[in-house]
Amino acid sequence: MSDTNKESYVVGVDLGGTKILAGLFDNSLECVGTAKVSTKAQRGLETVLTRIERCVRDAVDEADLSLKNVRGVGIGAPGAVDFENGTVLFAPNLEGWKDVPLKKELEKRLDLPVFVENDGNISVLGVHVAELKAKPRNVIGIFVGTGIGGGLIINAELFSGFNHTAGEIGHMIIDVNGPKCGCGSRGCFEAVASRTAIFQRIKAGIKDGEKTLLTEMLGENLEDLRSGDLRKAIRRGDKFVSKVIEQVAEYIGIGVANLVNILAPEVVVLGGGVMEALADEMTSVILKTAKEHAMPGTMKNVEIIASKLGDSAGITGAAVLARREAK
Amino acid sequence: MSDTNKESYVVGVDLGGTKILAGLFDNSLECVGTAKVSTKAQRGLETVLTRIERCVRDAVDEADLSLKNVRGVGIGAPGAVDFENGTVLFAPNLEGWKDVPLKKELEKRLDLPVFVENDGNISVLGVHVAELKAKPRNVIGIFVGTGIGGGLIINAELFSGFNHTAGEIGHMIIDVNGPKCGCGSRGCFEAVASRTAIFQRIKAGIKDGEKTLLTEMLGENLEDLRSGDLRKAIRRGDKFVSKVIEQVAEYIGIGVANLVNILAPEVVVLGGGVMEALADEMTSVILKTAKEHAMPGTMKNVEIIASKLGDSAGITGAAVLARREAK
């Protein structure tokens, strides 16, 4: 172990399309301080960089420490990342960031080593290290939020492939004639099963005259609709929202079956904001659909579980990365 | 190297739904004798076992050698395989074989060590060892024949995953409302892009009044239709067959894009009987469609190539397996 120094903390950052989370982690990978700010990507790159810096400083301050106590910072970014250079190659959910030298810019601002990875990769790493006690050798992480991110543990290591882009499961096409995706294709996994897809289905249903408690709760335009509202509506007996969530859970089950057929993992971990809010409503449908669509034999002893880390998967994995990489 | 003994040959067997191929390979992995028999799975397990044995003996005899010169036998089987026990768990294209102890049965008949793997895994291993000189670390093999088999090289090793079933790419669902697959799901990769799918589309088209040279060549019922006939018809100007093959190539391109998004390999190898017959007609459409549907960045410097090994990929990979495993 290189981190026996008690003063050796790391910060893990989860850079999302709508919010930035940061967590300060001690040597035992305990989170001892957190901070959260909205991303405001629409205000431009400088704003986002400043807000990441502020969020890191706030998390450290929260634990009554200073950046001097910190060995390094890990960041999970929502898009294709060049890990070697710490560059975000392409991030559609950050106003289309292209070739942003995130590592270099933040190292300048924080005077600390910074390491950047894809957010799905980071999250599955966090779950593998902090949650999966049996340390399975092959794990698929499926993170359902604004989009769908993924990450792969293969032979007990994070696997990012040749172009460091492995795990882009959100753009696996499962319904070739389905709804248009932000990437330009049709019927991508995230075009049929992300929060964005759920909200589109609900809004389209309302236009077609479907009745839902959501309009009572939030008004006709469903302003500030969140995943938690869907759970509330379902628990109050909203049949339309139940139906939409069941259909989306079926799509997630098909995505799981595809990935199990391709990769034969021991464990599939489901996480992200949608799963966190709706795990009770979705998990049994996901399991049933996955079993129906996977090849005979492939699902034997495969565990499909909802992560308990929730939103902390990203900051935890980013902290693991920083611990591994910072000298 | 453990195989410096000049007398040390191995046999590679490709057990398919319609035919069995066997090849005798010397120390340099040169094929010095081959044999081929039809499978006749409908006659029952005993018949198939006897025919495999005969095919192995014929390939050895072809090179004026005897089984005494052979160190071991590798077999690629079309289905889910338990490598440790050498059991075929499930093989829909072999009249639904279930839990067949192929290793044990053939070792009894041949008095030689026998090793059984999935045919897609074996084929990508053969291509990796015998054809890809640069030894890329991550390779996806897509083998389009009666069905679609797949195999994965990950971090320079054959990857078969937890249940030894990784690479079942033929049952990746890409058109959830598409045609029914033999496995029970709808719109699996092999339900829209295998030879079976091509023939179904052509027969359905003829019923709907499409004109094709194939009926002139083979009669109204298209008896004995083979992939080579499709190539002949296209080269003689058959617009309907051209159109069907173009659509199928587009589906293959979508399958390639999905797998590149998920696994970020250096190389995608296309093989199998359909690709062998129609590579010239399909490759450019596959490339174009794959590029259109993969995420920006993921296709950078990724090679998509048609294997030159053709039908020998399976026996070559099976020989590589036997060399590695036989003491």
Side-chain angles (χ1 to χ4, degrees):
Chain A
M1 297 291 284
S2 62
D3 46 7
T4 45
N5 174 7
K6 275 191 183 171
E7 298 299 316
S8 175
Y9 293 85
V10 294
V11 176
V13 179
D14 182 3
L15 170 59
T18 49
K19 64 180 189 290
I20 302 164
L21 292 176
L24 181 71
F25 289 77
D26 69 13
N27 275 334
S28 330
L29 207 64
E30 283 296 315
C31 185
V32 295
T34 58
K36 176 170 156 179
V37 298
S38 50
T39 309
K40 306 284 184 200
Q42 69 282 7
R43 292 199 205 154
L45 176 60
E46 276 304 312
T47 300
V48 177
L49 293 170
T50 306
R51 296 173 82 84
I52 297 172
E53 180 191 350
R54 197 214 300 168
C55 198
V56 170
R57 290 185 186 276
D58 286 356
V60 176
D61 180 63
E62 188 67 25
D64 301 313
L65 290 165
S66 84
L67 286 187
K68 282 183 194 141
N69 304 99
V70 176
R71 199 165 91 214
V73 178
I75 301 196
V81 169
D82 178 340
F83 175 74
E84 305 300 329
N85 302 316
T87 303
V88 178
L89 300 172
F90 180 61
N93 292 331
L94 291 172
E95 302 283 318
W97 277 19
K98 266 191 105 164
D99 298 321
V100 171
L102 192 57
K103 175 187 173 76
K104 202 180 110 198
E105 288 296 332
L106 289 171
E107 287 187 341
K108 223 165 28 187
R109 282 169 165 83
L110 294 165
D111 197 23
L112 280 172
V114 173
F115 307 93
V116 187
E117 249 292 3
N118 167 270
D119 57 355
N121 290 355
I122 279 292
S123 296
V124 80
L125 181 65
V127 171
H128 193 247
V129 170
E131 188 175 1
L132 301 178
K133 302 297 176 210
K135 298 289 164 269
R137 289 181 57 78
N138 301 291
V139 181
I140 299 171
I142 302 178
F143 302 98
V144 186
T146 313
I148 296 184
L152 310 178
I153 302 285
I154 290 185
N155 295 330
E157 297 288 341
L158 183 63
F159 179 77
S160 57
F162 172 54
N163 277 332
H164 278 289
T165 53
E168 281 289 356
I169 63 167
H171 299 283
M172 165 175 68
I173 293 169
I174 62 179
D175 184 5
V176 73
N177 299 305
K180 195 114 182 181
C181 180
C183 76
S185 295
R186 282 188 176 278
C188 291
F189 193 16
E190 75 172 42
V192 295
S194 64
R195 179 163 45 229
T196 314
I198 295 171
F199 289 4
Q200 278 168 355
R201 273 168 186 254
I202 287 175
K203 286 175 182 174
I206 292 171
K207 263 197 184 161
D208 290 348
E210 295 282 355
K211 294 284 166 243
T212 162
L213 298 170
L214 292 172
T215 47
E216 286 174 27
M217 291 159 58
L218 303 163
E220 287 300 322
N221 293 324
L222 301 187
E223 268 180 52
D224 282 328
L225 176 61
R226 286 154 196 264
S227 305
D229 299 319
L230 304 177
R231 184 184 53 217
K232 281 180 212 154
I234 291 173
R235 292 190 183 172
R236 287 167 56 189
D238 190 318
K239 286 197 179 134
F240 169 60
V241 174
S242 282
K243 185 77 203 156
V244 168
I245 293 304
E246 193 186 326
Q247 286 167 343
V248 166
E250 284 173 1
Y251 275 117
I252 296 175
I254 288 171
V256 169
N258 279 1
L259 293 165
V260 168
N261 280 339
I262 297 167
L263 286 166
E266 282 97 316
V267 179
V268 177
V269 175
L270 298 160
V274 170
M275 282 308 302
E276 202 177 358
L278 293 157
D280 290 347
E281 284 72 18
M282 296 176 102
T283 306
S284 66
V285 180
I286 294 171
L287 278 172
K288 181 169 170 282
T289 316
K291 281 190 183 148
E292 282 168 4
H293 290 85
M295 279 286 282
T298 56
M299 287 288 281
K300 197 176 156 194
N301 300 325
V302 177
E303 278 186 84
I304 301 179
I305 56 172
S307 170
K308 289 183 181 67
L309 286 188
D311 251 0
S312 348
I315 56 173
T316 307
V320 171
L321 180 75
R323 269 165 55 133
R324 285 191 184 167
E325 298 291 333
K327 297 292 172 283
Chain B
M1 297 290 284
S2 63
D3 47 7
T4 44
N5 174 6
K6 275 192 182 171
E7 299 299 316
S8 174
Y9 293 85
V10 293
V11 176
V13 178
D14 181 1
L15 170 59
T18 48
K19 65 179 188 287
I20 302 165
L21 292 177
L24 180 72
F25 289 77
D26 68 14
N27 275 335
S28 329
L29 207 64
E30 285 295 315
C31 184
V32 295
T34 59
K36 176 169 156 180
V37 298
S38 50
T39 309
K40 307 282 183 199
Q42 70 282 7
R43 291 198 205 156
L45 176 59
E46 277 303 312
T47 300
V48 176
L49 293 170
T50 306
R51 295 174 82 85
I52 297 173
E53 180 192 349
R54 195 214 302 169
C55 198
V56 170
R57 290 184 185 275
D58 286 355
V60 176
D61 180 63
E62 188 66 27
D64 301 313
L65 290 165
S66 85
L67 285 187
K68 284 186 192 138
N69 305 100
V70 176
R71 200 166 91 213
V73 177
I75 301 196
V81 169
D82 178 339
F83 175 74
E84 306 300 329
N85 301 318
T87 303
V88 178
L89 301 172
F90 180 62
N93 292 331
L94 291 173
E95 303 283 318
W97 276 20
K98 266 190 108 165
D99 299 321
V100 171
L102 191 57
K103 176 188 173 75
K104 201 180 112 198
E105 289 295 334
L106 288 171
E107 287 186 340
K108 219 164 32 182
R109 282 171 166 80
L110 293 164
D111 197 23
L112 280 172
V114 173
F115 307 92
V116 187
E117 251 290 3
N118 167 270
D119 57 355
N121 291 356
I122 279 292
S123 296
V124 79
L125 181 64
V127 171
H128 193 247
V129 170
E131 187 175 2
L132 301 177
K133 301 297 176 211
K135 297 290 163 266
R137 289 181 57 77
N138 302 291
V139 180
I140 299 170
I142 302 177
F143 302 98
V144 185
T146 312
I148 296 185
L152 310 177
I153 301 287
I154 290 184
N155 295 330
E157 296 289 341
L158 183 63
F159 179 76
S160 57
F162 171 54
N163 276 334
H164 278 288
T165 54
E168 280 289 355
I169 62 169
H171 299 283
M172 166 174 69
I173 293 169
I174 62 180
D175 184 4
V176 73
N177 299 305
K180 195 113 182 183
C181 180
C183 76
S185 296
R186 284 189 174 277
C188 292
F189 194 16
E190 74 173 42
V192 295
S194 64
R195 177 164 44 226
T196 314
I198 295 171
F199 289 2
Q200 278 168 355
R201 273 168 186 253
I202 286 176
K203 286 174 182 174
I206 291 171
K207 263 197 183 161
D208 290 349
E210 294 282 356
K211 295 282 166 246
T212 162
L213 297 171
L214 291 173
T215 47
E216 286 174 28
M217 289 159 59
L218 303 163
E220 286 302 320
N221 294 325
L222 301 187
E223 268 179 54
D224 282 329
L225 176 60
R226 286 153 195 264
S227 305
D229 299 320
L230 305 176
R231 185 184 52 217
K232 280 181 212 154
I234 291 172
R235 294 194 181 167
R236 286 167 56 189
D238 190 317
K239 287 198 178 131
F240 170 60
V241 175
S242 283
K243 185 76 202 157
V244 169
I245 292 303
E246 194 186 328
Q247 286 167 342
V248 166
E250 284 173 2
Y251 274 116
I252 296 175
I254 287 171
V256 169
N258 279 1
L259 293 165
V260 168
N261 280 338
I262 296 166
L263 285 167
E266 283 97 315
V267 178
V268 177
V269 175
L270 299 159
V274 170
M275 283 307 301
E276 202 178 358
L278 293 157
D280 290 347
E281 284 72 19
M282 297 175 101
T283 307
S284 67
V285 179
I286 293 172
L287 278 172
K288 180 169 173 285
T289 316
K291 281 192 182 144
E292 282 167 6
H293 291 85
M295 282 284 284
T298 55
M299 287 289 282
K300 197 175 154 195
N301 299 326
V302 177
E303 278 186 83
I304 301 178
I305 56 172
S307 169
K308 289 182 182 68
L309 286 189
D311 250 1
S312 346
I315 55 172
T316 307
V320 171
L321 179 76
R323 269 166 55 133
R324 285 191 184 166
E325 298 292 332
K327 297 291 172 284

